[in-house]
Amino acid sequence: MYGYIVLHWFLLVLACVVSCCDGLMPQKILLLGGNGMLGGETAVKLVEAGHQVHVLNRGNWYHDSATRIKPFVRHIECNRYYIKSCKALINEDYFDVVVDFSSYKPGVMTEFLALMQGKFGLYLYISSDSVYEVCQITQHNEPSQETDSIRPITLQEREKLNEADSYGHNKLACEEVLTRLHTEQNFHFISLRLPDVIGPRDNTNRFWYYFLWTLVHKQIGFPLMIPTWLETQQLNFVYSLDVANLITNKLIKPTPEILDQPFNLACPEDITLQNFLTLIGNSLNVDPLSFIEGGSEYYFPSVTRGPINCTKAIHMLKWNPTPINVAINDSVAFYRDYMNSPQSAVLVKTIIADLESSLLPNEKLKLFRNELSNHTKHAIPPRE
């Protein structure tokens, strides 16, 4: 680990030199979160670009982030729900950019903005395509556009949608806080509306579940399920590295025309769940896959209204995302390698236990563990 840290520090110093030579002054950047799949990738990219990165979270370091990220950033350990007691943050003078991966409640965001009023310039908010779940049904029957984020007129309909998707309601409410307060408090913002995120180090474990299920489903005689409503439904995904690169290369120093508005970001292709799983199977050399239609279990998608339209981001942000097959192939390669890494021993066992409790029938549990033991160096205790 020592050699890795020394090499990383050398690359960081080199990046700072290159940035200054190119006339790009390093920015002081605060990441709210910064330890998960998307926040972690962004932290690494920003550090490599020579920026001064501060990471505020509760001190949980997922996957290998304790060695990959923590030594190269300034860590501010703090619970956002008690932000007013965070002296280390209060004592900071000014951040050029705040990147918020962790606001899920408008009240929590409002408290942070009040505490840090006048102490930052740009606020990048990681939002979600779930915001469209609580908006009026559109008339165009096309993928959701940024202008479709209009709540219903009647209070009854609003409350019905908010109750059905409280996550989407709260993410949109956070966007509304930024829209309402940015002029009054004199800062700029950009909101990024993301579909389900895929990539290395998924701390939601959803890609892990499909990865392991696809890997052994034929051997254990438990086909992949496609719920009826998802048989033809088109889905969107976004690749974590694409978002991290966009933030680092484009949004940290934004041009005026892209400020104070939302952008949809996704991989270029719409895809069904069956096609998504087929691409995972192709990357695992498991072909053909076995499917059962009408099953009830699924891990993607997290929304019901289908894909989003990224035309605005393509034109204004020069958004050029990775093709979905490449993103899936790269993700599968990571998880395949990571299954045998020392850091993954506890995580793999946790994910196995999750799948056994939520998905697999009792008669498949012993066989499931036996098959997985052929794909990892870690000891998987047999099912009793």
Side-chain angles (χ1 to χ4, degrees):
M1 186 181 80
Y2 177 75
Y4 173 84
I5 293 175
V6 170
L7 176 60
H8 206 122
W9 271 116
F10 172 77
L11 294 174
L12 172 58
V13 172
L14 181 61
C16 290
V17 172
V18 171
S19 294
C20 291
C21 290
D22 287 343
L24 302 175
M25 292 302 295
Q27 303 285 291
K28 184 179 177 183
I29 300 170
L30 174 64
L31 306 185
L32 303 178
N35 53 347
M37 172 167 56
L38 183 54
E41 292 297 342
T42 304
V44 168
K45 294 295 183 183
L46 290 171
V47 168
E48 289 176 348
H51 297 295
Q52 181 185 349
V53 180
H54 294 58
V55 173
L56 185 151
N57 57 47
R58 290 174 294 178
N60 299 318
W61 296 98
Y62 303 106
H63 290 87
D64 55 353
S65 58
T67 55
R68 183 171 175 252
I69 299 170
K70 187 178 180 181
F72 313 108
V73 301
R74 185 186 173 210
H75 181 221
I76 302 173
E77 186 167 338
C78 177
N79 187 330
R80 286 199 62 187
Y81 286 89
Y82 305 100
I83 197 71
K84 292 180 180 179
S85 63
C86 186
K87 294 182 180 179
L89 177 64
I90 295 170
N91 291 336
E92 291 290 338
D93 51 0
Y94 187 83
F95 293 99
D96 298 293
V97 184
V98 173
V99 189
D100 185 353
F101 299 94
S102 64
S103 279
Y104 304 104
K105 299 283 187 179
V108 173
M109 176 183 278
T110 301
E111 277 200 350
F112 175 87
L113 293 175
L115 183 70
M116 297 298 289
Q117 185 171 349
K119 299 179 73 172
F120 68 91
L122 175 66
Y123 200 100
L124 299 180
Y125 180 50
I126 307 304
S127 189
S128 168
D129 64 348
S130 294
V131 301
Y132 299 111
E133 300 286 301
V134 297
C135 294
Q136 298 180 67
I137 299 295
T138 63
Q139 302 300 315
H140 54 67
N141 295 319
E142 298 291 334
S144 297
Q145 304 170 16
E146 290 84 352
T147 51
D148 293 331
S149 55
I150 302 172
R151 294 187 186 267
I153 296 174
T154 67
L155 178 60
Q156 182 180 10
E157 183 64 15
R158 284 192 180 202
E159 291 178 343
K160 177 182 176 182
L161 294 176
N162 295 348
E163 183 178 353
D165 195 322
S166 61
Y167 177 78
H169 161 59
N170 283 307
K171 293 298 272 189
L172 184 55
C174 286
E175 289 192 30
E176 291 164 345
V177 167
L178 294 174
T179 300
R180 186 175 72 251
L181 294 181
H182 81 279
T183 301
E184 174 185 325
Q185 297 188 6
N186 193 31
F187 67 88
H188 291 291
F189 75 91
I190 299 172
S191 297
L192 303 179
R193 294 175 178 170
L194 309 183
D196 291 312
V197 182
I198 61 172
R201 302 172 179 85
D202 175 13
N203 53 305
T204 72
N205 294 338
R206 292 179 297 167
F207 196 96
W208 269 112
Y209 296 151
Y210 274 131
F211 170 85
L212 294 178
W213 189 1
T214 304
L215 184 64
V216 301
H217 77 286
K218 297 179 80 170
Q219 290 91 334
I220 69 174
F222 193 70
L224 298 160
M225 295 181 188
I226 306 293
T228 301
W229 75 275
L230 285 173
E231 289 175 9
T232 59
Q233 176 81 323
Q234 296 294 309
L235 315 177
N236 271 154
F237 296 88
V238 70
Y239 189 32
S240 58
L241 274 72
D242 287 340
V243 180
N245 283 326
L246 181 72
I247 291 172
T248 303
N249 299 329
K250 177 73 176 178
L251 301 185
I252 292 304
K253 293 289 287 183
T255 51
E257 68 273 9
I258 69 173
L259 295 171
D260 307 327
Q261 57 189 302
F263 292 90
N264 293 338
L265 302 179
C267 289
E269 307 92 343
D270 302 338
I271 189 172
T272 64
L273 179 59
Q274 182 165 333
N275 288 339
F276 176 80
L277 296 176
T278 298
L279 289 174
I280 293 179
N282 292 343
S283 298
L284 288 168
N285 296 316
V286 178
D287 185 45
L289 303 184
S290 297
F291 292 99
I292 181 170
E293 296 180 351
S296 59
E297 295 295 335
Y298 67 96
Y299 301 107
F300 293 121
S302 55
V303 296
T304 63
R305 294 198 183 179
I308 54 178
N309 184 322
C310 298
T311 301
K312 179 181 174 183
I314 291 170
H315 289 160
M316 296 183 67
L317 305 182
K318 308 304 179 188
W319 173 245
N320 184 26
T322 302
I324 186 69
N325 65 308
V326 177
I328 289 174
N329 190 65
D330 290 350
S331 301
V332 167
F334 169 82
Y335 292 110
R336 189 165 231 168
D337 290 343
Y338 194 74
M339 277 188 71
N340 293 307
S341 70
Q343 300 98 326
S344 73
V346 174
L347 177 61
V348 168
K349 292 175 185 177
T350 299
I351 293 169
I352 290 171
D354 288 347
L355 281 172
E356 289 178 341
S357 64
S358 65
L359 178 69
L360 296 169
N362 289 334
E363 64 269 19
K364 299 294 183 182
L365 300 183
K366 182 177 180 179
L367 186 57
F368 177 63
R369 290 194 173 216
N370 289 343
E371 286 298 327
L372 283 183
S373 67
N374 297 325
H375 297 278
T376 180
K377 296 176 183 177
H378 303 309
I380 298 177
R383 182 78 180 185
E384 296 180 358

Coordinates of all heavy atoms in Angstrom, one line a residue, residues 6 12 15 25 53 62 72 91 109 111 122 141 154-155 161 184 193 203-204 236 256 280 283 318 322 356 359 378:
V6 N 2.8 6.4 -2.5 CA 3.9 7.2 -3.0 C 3.7 7.5 -4.5 O 3.9 8.7 -5.0 CB 5.3 6.5 -2.8 CG1 6.4 7.2 -3.6 CG2 5.6 6.4 -1.3
L12 N 0.0 13.1 -8.4 CA -0.7 14.3 -8.0 C 0.1 15.6 -8.2 O -0.3 16.6 -8.8 CB -1.1 14.2 -6.5 CG -1.7 15.5 -5.9 CD1 -3.0 15.9 -6.7 CD2 -2.1 15.2 -4.4
A15 N 0.4 16.3 -11.8 CA -0.9 16.9 -12.4 C -0.9 18.3 -12.0 O -1.4 19.2 -12.8 CB -2.1 16.1 -11.8
M25 N -5.8 27.0 -13.0 CA -5.5 27.0 -11.6 C -6.2 26.0 -10.8 O -7.4 25.8 -11.1 CB -5.9 28.4 -11.0 CG -5.0 29.5 -11.6 SD -3.2 29.3 -11.2 CE -3.2 29.4 -9.4
V53 N -8.9 18.7 -2.9 CA -10.2 18.1 -2.7 C -10.4 17.8 -1.2 O -9.6 17.2 -0.5 CB -10.3 16.7 -3.5 CG1 -11.6 16.1 -3.3 CG2 -10.0 17.0 -5.0
Y62 N -16.0 2.9 1.5 CA -16.5 1.7 0.8 C -15.5 1.2 -0.1 O -14.6 1.9 -0.7 CB -17.8 2.1 0.0 CG -18.9 2.7 0.8 CD1 -19.2 4.0 0.8 CD2 -19.6 1.9 1.7 CE1 -20.2 4.5 1.6 CE2 -20.6 2.4 2.5 CZ -20.9 3.7 2.4 OH -21.9 4.3 3.2
F72 N -5.4 11.0 -0.1 CA -5.1 12.1 -1.0 C -6.1 13.2 -1.0 O -6.1 14.1 -1.8 CB -5.1 11.5 -2.5 CG -4.3 10.2 -2.5 CD1 -4.9 9.0 -2.7 CD2 -2.9 10.2 -2.4 CE1 -4.2 7.8 -2.7 CE2 -2.2 9.1 -2.4 CZ -2.8 7.9 -2.6
N91 N -15.0 26.3 9.9 CA -13.7 27.0 10.0 C -13.1 27.2 8.6 O -12.1 27.9 8.5 CB -12.7 26.3 10.9 CG -13.1 26.4 12.3 OD1 -13.8 27.3 12.7 ND2 -12.6 25.4 13.1
M109 N -30.3 20.2 2.7 CA -29.6 21.1 1.8 C -29.8 22.5 2.2 O -28.8 23.3 2.2 CB -30.2 20.9 0.4 CG -29.6 21.9 -0.6 SD -30.3 21.7 -2.3 CE -29.4 20.3 -2.9
E111 N -30.1 23.8 5.2 CA -29.3 24.0 6.3 C -27.8 24.2 5.9 O -27.1 25.1 6.4 CB -29.3 22.9 7.3 CG -30.5 23.0 8.3 CD -30.3 22.2 9.6 OE1 -29.3 21.4 9.6 OE2 -31.1 22.3 10.5
L122 N -19.8 27.7 -6.8 CA -20.6 26.9 -7.7 C -21.1 25.7 -6.9 O -20.3 25.0 -6.2 CB -19.8 26.4 -8.9 CG -20.5 25.4 -9.9 CD1 -21.7 26.0 -10.6 CD2 -19.5 24.9 -10.9
N141 N -45.1 11.7 -25.1 CA -44.8 10.2 -25.2 C -43.4 9.9 -25.6 O -43.2 8.9 -26.3 CB -45.8 9.5 -26.0 CG -47.2 9.6 -25.5 OD1 -47.4 9.4 -24.3 ND2 -48.2 9.8 -26.3
T154 N -52.9 20.0 -9.2 CA -53.7 19.7 -8.0 C -52.9 19.1 -6.8 O -52.0 18.3 -7.0 CB -54.9 18.7 -8.3 OG1 -54.3 17.4 -8.6 CG2 -55.7 19.2 -9.5
L155 N -53.2 19.6 -5.6 CA -52.5 19.1 -4.4 C -52.8 17.6 -4.3 O -51.8 16.9 -3.9 CB -53.1 19.8 -3.2 CG -52.5 19.4 -1.9 CD1 -51.0 19.6 -1.8 CD2 -53.2 20.2 -0.7
L161 N -48.4 11.3 -6.0 CA -47.2 11.0 -6.6 C -46.0 11.0 -5.6 O -45.1 10.2 -5.7 CB -46.9 11.9 -7.8 CG -47.8 11.8 -9.0 CD1 -47.5 12.9 -10.0 CD2 -47.7 10.4 -9.6
E184 N -30.7 34.8 -4.3 CA -30.7 35.4 -3.0 C -29.4 35.3 -2.3 O -28.9 36.2 -1.7 CB -31.8 34.8 -2.2 CG -31.9 35.3 -0.7 CD -32.9 34.5 0.1 OE1 -34.0 34.2 -0.5 OE2 -32.7 34.3 1.2
R193 N -29.3 15.2 -13.7 CA -30.3 14.2 -13.5 C -29.8 12.9 -14.1 O -29.7 12.7 -15.3 CB -31.6 14.6 -14.1 CG -32.2 15.9 -13.4 CD -33.4 16.4 -14.1 NE -34.0 17.5 -13.3 CZ -34.9 18.3 -13.8 NH1 -35.5 18.1 -15.0 NH2 -35.4 19.4 -13.1
N203 N -21.8 0.6 -4.4 CA -22.2 0.4 -3.0 C -23.7 0.2 -2.8 O -24.1 0.1 -1.7 CB -21.6 1.5 -2.1 CG -22.0 2.9 -2.6 OD1 -21.7 3.3 -3.7 ND2 -22.6 3.7 -1.7
T204 N -24.5 0.3 -3.9 CA -25.9 -0.1 -3.7 C -26.0 -1.7 -3.9 O -27.1 -2.2 -3.6 CB -26.8 0.5 -4.8 OG1 -26.6 0.0 -6.1 CG2 -26.6 2.0 -4.8
N236 N -32.7 3.4 -19.2 CA -31.4 4.1 -19.3 C -30.5 3.8 -18.2 O -30.9 3.5 -17.0 CB -31.7 5.7 -19.2 CG -31.9 6.3 -20.6 OD1 -32.6 7.3 -20.7 ND2 -31.5 5.7 -21.7
P256 N -20.7 30.4 -18.8 CA -22.0 31.0 -18.3 C -23.3 30.4 -18.8 O -24.2 30.3 -18.0 CB -21.8 32.5 -18.7 CG -20.4 32.7 -18.9 CD -19.8 31.4 -19.4
I280 N -24.4 -8.4 -19.8 CA -23.6 -8.9 -18.7 C -23.2 -10.4 -19.0 O -22.0 -10.7 -18.8 CB -24.4 -8.8 -17.4 CG1 -24.7 -7.4 -17.0 CG2 -23.7 -9.6 -16.3 CD1 -25.5 -7.2 -15.8
S283 N -20.3 -10.5 -21.4 CA -19.0 -10.2 -20.8 C -18.5 -11.3 -19.9 O -17.3 -11.4 -19.6 CB -19.2 -8.9 -20.0 OG -19.5 -7.8 -20.8
K318 N -21.4 19.1 -24.5 CA -20.6 18.2 -25.3 C -20.5 16.8 -24.7 O -19.5 16.1 -24.7 CB -19.2 18.8 -25.5 CG -19.1 20.2 -26.0 CD -19.9 20.4 -27.3 CE -19.9 21.8 -27.8 NZ -20.8 22.1 -28.9
T322 N -20.0 6.9 -22.9 CA -19.5 5.5 -23.3 C -20.7 4.7 -23.7 O -21.7 4.7 -23.0 CB -18.8 4.9 -22.1 OG1 -17.7 5.7 -21.6 CG2 -18.3 3.5 -22.4
E356 N -29.4 -14.6 -0.9 CA -30.1 -15.8 -0.3 C -31.3 -15.4 0.4 O -32.3 -16.2 0.4 CB -29.1 -16.5 0.6 CG -27.9 -17.2 -0.2 CD -26.9 -17.9 0.8 OE1 -26.9 -17.5 2.0 OE2 -26.2 -18.8 0.3
L359 N -33.9 -13.5 -2.6 CA -34.1 -14.0 -4.0 C -34.2 -15.5 -4.1 O -35.2 -16.0 -4.6 CB -33.0 -13.5 -4.9 CG -33.0 -14.0 -6.3 CD1 -34.2 -13.3 -7.1 CD2 -31.7 -13.7 -7.1
H378 N -11.8 -16.5 -2.1 CA -12.3 -16.4 -0.7 C -13.0 -17.6 -0.4 O -13.8 -18.2 -1.1 CB -13.1 -15.2 -0.5 CG -12.5 -13.9 -0.9 ND1 -11.2 -13.5 -0.5 CD2 -12.9 -12.9 -1.7 CE1 -10.9 -12.4 -1.0 NE2 -11.9 -11.9 -1.7

